[in-house]
Amino acid sequence: TAVPSLVAVLPANEASGVLSDLTEAQVEFSVPIDADQAVLDNFVLLRDGQPEALRSTDPEDRGEGVYGLAPESGFRVGSTYTVQVSPSVTGPLGTDQPITWQFSTAVPLVSSLRPASLASDVSPSLSALQLTFDNAIDEGALRGLGNVQVLEEGRALDLGEIAYNPDEGMVTFAPLLGLRAGTGYQVIVSSAVGGPLQGSDYAWGFSTAVPSLVAVLPANEASGVLSDLTEAQVEFSVPIDADQAV
């Protein structure tokens, strides 16, 4: 009988930037392998060198000598996957070497920031900080303790809820007590959000605007002001901090 020989693999060997919503990896043989060889013990999937639990029905027989397999919890971003297939699937007359190939999933890159990196005139009334990614991220890592930080002059701030919109790739969050005027900030999102292939944290800095005098009412040196004036007013370019409005 014909010896099953390797025809193709999907994704291709050494493919990079593979989207993490990949349904399954596939291997195609010239003829179907024996049913007693199409078992989990003969198919191994490694993520960055560590075995991944496969779907209980793997390898899935897709017909015409094609077999599919995937992690039980799905493929993850920024990771290198290696597929190993036992040589026994090719029968006694087949190869004596394991069939193996690898590919990597896309590392998400930041496509936009709010405020912009190094912005120096950010309004302290800005309601939320945002960063948008060009690909899916590891949402579990995003919600890990300490994986999103906002530092105010080096001091970590308490944050409200961290929101993630996977359709837009947008992450939104804000300090519970808001931003202060005339202050420097640094935002750090852990590299874990981008997977093992993301070598460094996602980080950027900005500073809020310094309140400057815009106008006073009545005007300086004004005379003849009516005594039924309700109040004097001072206008700044941006709001002053609440704890200074005393």
Side-chain angles (χ1 to χ4, degrees), residues 17 28 35 63 68 75 85 107 121 124 132 138 154 158 162 172 183 196 208 216 222 231 235-236:
E28 180 182 356
F75 290 97
V85 182
V107 176
D121 58 351
T132 302
D138 188 325
D158 291 331
I162 298 171
T172 305
T183 304
T208 49
V216 294
E231 62 182 10
E235 179 183 355
F236 292 96

Side-chain angles (χ1 to χ4, degrees), residues 46-241:
L46 306 176
R47 175 180 179 250
D48 296 294
Q50 299 300 311
E52 286 277 280
L54 296 175
R55 300 173 301 193
S56 60
T57 54
D58 282 344
E60 288 278 5
D61 187 349
R62 301 305 183 192
E64 304 297 326
V66 176
Y67 301 86
L69 61 154
E72 189 174 42
S73 58
F75 290 97
R76 297 174 65 182
V77 302
S79 302
T80 299
Y81 287 92
T82 303
V83 183
Q84 297 174 344
V85 182
S86 170
S88 66
V89 303
T90 62
L93 300 180
T95 181
D96 59 358
Q97 296 297 317
I99 299 164
T100 184
W101 82 96
Q102 71 175 31
F103 59 92
S104 59
T105 49
V107 176
L109 302 176
V110 173
S111 57
S112 68
L113 297 169
R114 181 182 183 222
S117 181
L118 302 181
S120 59
D121 58 351
V122 176
S123 171
S125 62
L126 181 70
S127 61
L129 311 179
Q130 293 178 338
L131 67 164
T132 302
F133 292 93
D134 65 349
N135 274 304
I137 63 173
D138 188 325
E139 187 172 356
L142 177 70
R143 303 193 185 285
L145 182 64
N147 281 351
V148 178
Q149 297 186 70
V150 177
L151 307 182
E152 180 184 276
E153 303 292 352
R155 179 177 63 90
L157 301 178
D158 291 331
L159 303 180
E161 179 185 0
I162 298 171
Y164 174 52
N165 182 333
D167 294 330
E168 297 182 2
M170 183 180 295
V171 177
T172 305
F173 49 93
L176 281 174
L177 299 181
L179 302 177
R180 295 175 63 89
T183 304
Y185 291 89
Q186 185 178 23
V187 184
I188 303 172
V189 177
S190 171
S191 62
V193 167
L197 294 178
Q198 172 62 26
S200 59
D201 293 336
Y202 302 95
W204 85 99
F206 64 91
S207 57
T208 49
V210 175
S212 59
L213 184 64
V214 173
V216 294
L217 184 71
N220 186 36
E221 303 293 345
S223 61
V225 178
L226 297 180
S227 60
D228 62 356
L229 175 70
T230 304
E231 62 182 10
Q233 293 184 345
V234 57
E235 179 183 355
F236 292 96
S237 55
V238 294
I240 63 175
D241 294 334

